[in-house]
Amino acid sequence: QLAGVTVALITGSSAPAVAHRAQRLQIEHVLQGNDDKLPGWRALVARLGIAPSACAHMGDDLPDLPLMRASAAAFSVAHAPLVVREAAHYVARTPPGLGAVREVCELILEARGALGARVAQYDSAPHPLPASRR
């Protein structure tokens, strides 16, 4: 988000933990509780004025297929059903919960030419430990 990418979380789950995680990550656009994700996605894209050709979607199950097909870039994870993996332009090598979303975010930032600047921001930050203790 700090690199100028609008992030949304669209899930069939209504679990309070999802809303809590989105709040902690400062994800403003959260749609929960509907397995038919396409109408909510279409409304969100229209409200934000974003063309579907500028959208990416990362999905791991059958309800994600319509969004993956409607987006310009589709991503999935290795444990997703075969039909979902086949719909993806890229399947993350990192397992879900262990960095799969980060992997895809880095791919998107790299494609936008923004990853290097984000890494450089942290490379130039002072290290919290003295060199002798690293």
Side-chain angles (χ1 to χ4, degrees):
Q1 293 179 111
L2 294 174
V5 176
T6 300
V7 176
L9 179 59
I10 302 173
T11 177
S13 172
S14 295
V18 172
H20 177 73
R21 178 76 172 144
Q23 183 179 15
R24 288 198 58 196
L25 293 173
Q26 298 178 352
I27 297 173
E28 179 181 347
H29 310 289
V30 181
L31 305 174
Q32 287 187 263
N34 195 339
D35 281 336
D36 185 0
K37 300 175 182 184
L38 192 57
W41 177 83
R42 284 185 175 144
L44 179 62
V45 166
R47 182 165 44 89
L48 295 174
I50 300 172
S53 62
C55 292
H57 182 76
M58 185 170 189
D60 68 349
D61 209 348
L62 298 176
D64 294 301
L65 282 173
L67 278 70
M68 292 173 72
R69 292 182 175 138
S71 298
F75 301 95
S76 190
V77 292
H79 82 275
L82 179 61
V83 67
V84 175
R85 294 191 316 261
E86 288 176 341
H89 297 106
Y90 180 86
V91 176
R93 293 174 181 93
T94 310
L98 297 175
V101 172
R102 174 182 294 277
E103 179 181 338
V104 169
C105 289
E106 289 176 356
L107 287 172
I108 291 169
L109 291 177
E110 182 67 32
R112 292 173 55 114
L115 183 59
R118 297 299 302 153
V119 171
Q121 175 186 358
Y122 291 95
D123 280 344
S124 64
H127 196 284
L129 294 176
S132 62
R133 296 197 49 200
R134 288 187 216 161

